[in-house]
Amino acid sequence: MSPPQTQSLMQAALAHHQQGRLAEAAALYQKILQQSPKHPDALHLFGVLMHQGGQHEAGRRLVGAAIEIAPDRPEFLSNLGQILKALGKPEDAEAAYRKALEKDPGFVDALANLGSLLQERGAIAEAIGLLRSAIEKAPNHANAHMNLGNALRQDGLVEEAEAAHRTAARLAPLSPEAYANLATTLMDRDALEEAGRALRRALLLAPALAEAANSAGFLEFNRLDYVAARRWFTRAVLLAPGYAAPETGLAELAYFSGDIETSLKHSETALRLAPDEPQIHLRHAIRLLAAGRLEEGWREREWRHKAPDRVRRLGLPPIWQGEPLKGKRLLVCAEEGVGDEILYASIYRDVMKLGAELVVECDARLLPVLGRSFPDALVHPYARAGDGFRPVQKYDWLPHDKPVDYAIDAGSLALHFRRRLEDFAEEPYLKADPERVRAVRETIEGTGDGLKVALAWRSRNRTAFRDIHYTALSDWLPVLREPGIDVFSIQYGDGWEEEIESLSKETGLGPHVLSDLDLTNDFDDILALVSAADILICPSSTLGWIGGALGKPTWLFHPVPLFVQYGTDGFPGFPSIRSFPKAVGTSWQTIVEAVRIALGDLRAR
């Protein structure tokens, strides 16, 4: 075959390939290779075609043969990286991409592909840098914009991620992946209707795209349409049996339906398919704890240290692995949420009983509370830099007069001290400021002789999905109408004042507001109101653990299952907390009525 004939066949094969006529393209590539077995472009493109058809190993051999003949072609190396990634060899794929960039540092496909791989492997900062570089060199490279959106989303920059995904969809209007990724980001922003439109576009373009079917499942899950969600997750499993994400979706469905054992089976399947994915391990941990399988659950929770948004701790002493602690100094590092800090502070006394001297790191707002509650410990506020998605904490403040021997995250103490239900200590461990308690009690007693109830009806952050755990203030009208009950707001966050004002204008009812208390940022104020009230009523939130840690009667309303019950009907370690449970998807009306009746009984007594 003459060179012009070969070139003509290559052009025809490439045209078929680009139009998706893979069988016709394959036939022409094979014809060229029969005549010219070492034709590098035919070997390379035939290998790419085999990879696109799911025959990744055959594609790897063909592209590898092309590289042996033409080792300096960056496009060959970049596509080899794509094939190696599909074969589940991310380290080899990364090496191929980097080799392509050694040949041509400005090769945009390699920059985009390497950025995508690093994002998936948790190296977010480097991924974003590479992808921005790719876009700078090729502003209309849709894949680079799409991958940048994925990296920004993982880094918590959701607004920027949405902009990148919108650009990708504009540049590649026939790309189902672009619309599927845009939909995922829109779901993060709770823009469910627009996310649904993007997913419908993706599925029209590619009805068999498993990723889009999986996202549709999570969309319906967020809408609380569990029947539709199950249908989409099942479809995604059938389309891609090796895809872990829909198995996690089915696990979530089973869990929120109260079927923990089925939920565990699905998450075990997901872990077999994606054994190195921290988020799957963390959700599996929640299910294990909810089933009462404590030691297994705490071990799975250790995967949080591998999550991309984990706290990076600089300057720590060695991590404590269970060595003898008598005479040693142990640093307990703060968890990322103040609620977790309070929850795991219940273990501090257990640690000190082993003869350890504690150094406790905490949110600055908890400094007076923990200092008062654990006077034998050195309590220090953390210095956190970065943001909520890439936090960094430095430890140059650690004492030098008596160095710290070991360090451990507060939540990791549970693996050593909470392996059985019998391990949970049940005495209160936080102390409120007595002067503030006295002042608040005088204020609330001035409202009359009714039972003093501190009420929070929701958490700080609200989304359509999170709201399944919380009530509206208007749900509590039966309690607000109950004679002999004086209700005080202990709600925190934003927007609650407007909720109280609106309900008051509409019904003339509402909880009392102690305007001189800062119930969002001042924990001494929060502890004072909880201590001064007769009873605290709240959802599963930081407030619940405060009530339990103070030993105050706390009525906690929540959907089931709730993992901190550890397979029981109560709250191990918190005997003062009473559970008011309901199934997900059912009305709060029955729970509010049960609380109203219980308050009436308590008032009568």
Side-chain angles (χ1 to χ4, degrees), residues 8-330:
S8 177
L9 283 177
M10 277 297 301
Q11 290 175 350
L14 186 57
H16 284 304
H17 197 162
Q18 291 172 336
Q19 294 299 318
R21 297 186 291 271
L22 301 188
E24 293 86 344
L28 292 179
Y29 291 141
Q30 287 174 311
K31 186 173 182 179
I32 295 166
L33 291 170
Q34 286 170 358
Q35 299 297 323
S36 304
K38 293 188 176 183
H39 194 291
D41 289 307
L43 285 166
H44 166 240
L45 290 171
F46 191 26
V48 171
L49 184 148
M50 297 297 283
H51 157 64
Q52 291 170 331
Q55 299 184 51
H56 307 306
E57 182 55 36
R60 185 195 65 78
R61 290 196 298 269
L62 287 162
V63 175
I67 292 171
E68 287 183 9
I69 297 164
D72 294 328
R73 298 278 292 273
E75 70 272 27
F76 291 7
L77 291 160
S78 182
N79 283 328
L80 176 64
Q82 292 291 83
I83 296 170
L84 290 167
K85 180 181 174 183
L87 285 167
K89 299 180 178 181
E91 293 86 0
D92 294 341
E94 181 177 341
Y97 295 142
R98 292 194 185 279
K99 196 168 183 179
L101 291 170
E102 287 176 10
K103 305 297 181 184
D104 182 358
F107 187 56
V108 174
D109 283 346
L111 287 168
N113 291 336
L114 178 58
S116 176
L117 179 69
L118 292 175
Q119 172 256 320
E120 293 172 9
R121 301 185 72 192
I124 307 300
E126 186 180 0
I128 290 173
L130 288 166
L131 292 163
R132 290 196 191 281
S133 178
I135 291 169
E136 184 178 340
K137 297 176 187 304
N140 292 329
H141 196 291
N143 200 45
H145 284 282
M146 184 169 65
N147 293 343
L148 176 62
N150 293 338
L152 292 168
R153 174 177 176 262
Q154 190 168 336
D155 205 33
L157 303 171
V158 182
E159 290 187 10
E160 292 183 46
E162 180 186 340
H165 283 141
R166 288 189 185 279
T167 301
R170 176 177 56 80
L171 293 171
L174 298 180
S175 168
E177 292 83 4
Y179 284 99
N181 281 290
L182 173 60
T184 302
T185 304
L186 290 168
M187 286 164 62
D188 286 345
R189 302 200 65 195
D190 212 32
L192 301 187
E193 291 305 315
E194 190 177 1
R197 291 194 293 272
L199 279 175
R200 286 193 292 274
R201 179 74 176 267
L203 289 163
L204 281 171
L205 291 166
L209 184 62
E211 291 81 3
N214 176 69
S215 293
F218 278 105
L219 175 67
E220 298 302 341
F221 182 70
N222 285 337
R223 288 171 167 168
L224 308 184
D225 188 341
Y226 293 164
V227 174
R230 183 179 303 280
R231 186 166 59 247
W232 281 113
F233 288 137
T234 302
R235 177 175 174 177
V237 169
L238 293 173
L239 289 170
Y243 184 27
E247 291 289 351
T248 66
L250 290 168
E252 294 290 358
L253 277 177
Y255 181 78
F256 280 91
S257 299
D259 188 349
I260 297 176
E261 290 306 313
T262 298
S263 177
L264 285 167
K265 289 177 182 176
H266 282 297
S267 61
E268 287 163 2
T269 299
L271 285 172
R272 285 196 298 272
L273 296 171
D276 298 323
E277 176 53 53
Q279 188 59 32
I280 298 178
H281 283 277
L282 291 175
R283 292 303 302 168
H284 188 55
I286 294 296
R287 297 168 193 130
L288 287 167
L289 293 171
R293 293 162 60 178
L294 298 182
E295 187 169 352
E296 295 172 81
W298 297 129
R299 288 194 186 281
E300 284 291 282
R301 279 204 82 241
E302 291 301 286
W303 275 84
R304 71 191 187 281
H305 301 304
K306 298 183 180 181
D309 59 350
R310 68 192 181 280
V311 175
R312 289 176 290 168
R313 304 190 186 277
L314 306 180
L316 279 184
I319 301 301
W320 183 60
Q321 303 289 347
E323 295 90 345
L325 285 174
K326 188 172 183 179
K328 300 294 184 181
R329 212 169 197 187
L330 177 67

Side-chain angles (χ1 to χ4, degrees), residues 453 455 476 479 482 485 535 537 555-557 578 580 589-601:
V453 174
L455 172 68
W476 293 95
V479 169
E482 184 73 8
I485 306 294
I535 194 163
I537 300 175
W555 293 0
L556 199 149
F557 56 89
R578 177 177 173 182
F580 284 83
Q589 182 178 354
T590 302
I591 297 303
V592 172
E593 180 61 15
V595 169
R596 186 193 68 78
I597 292 171
L599 284 172
D601 292 343

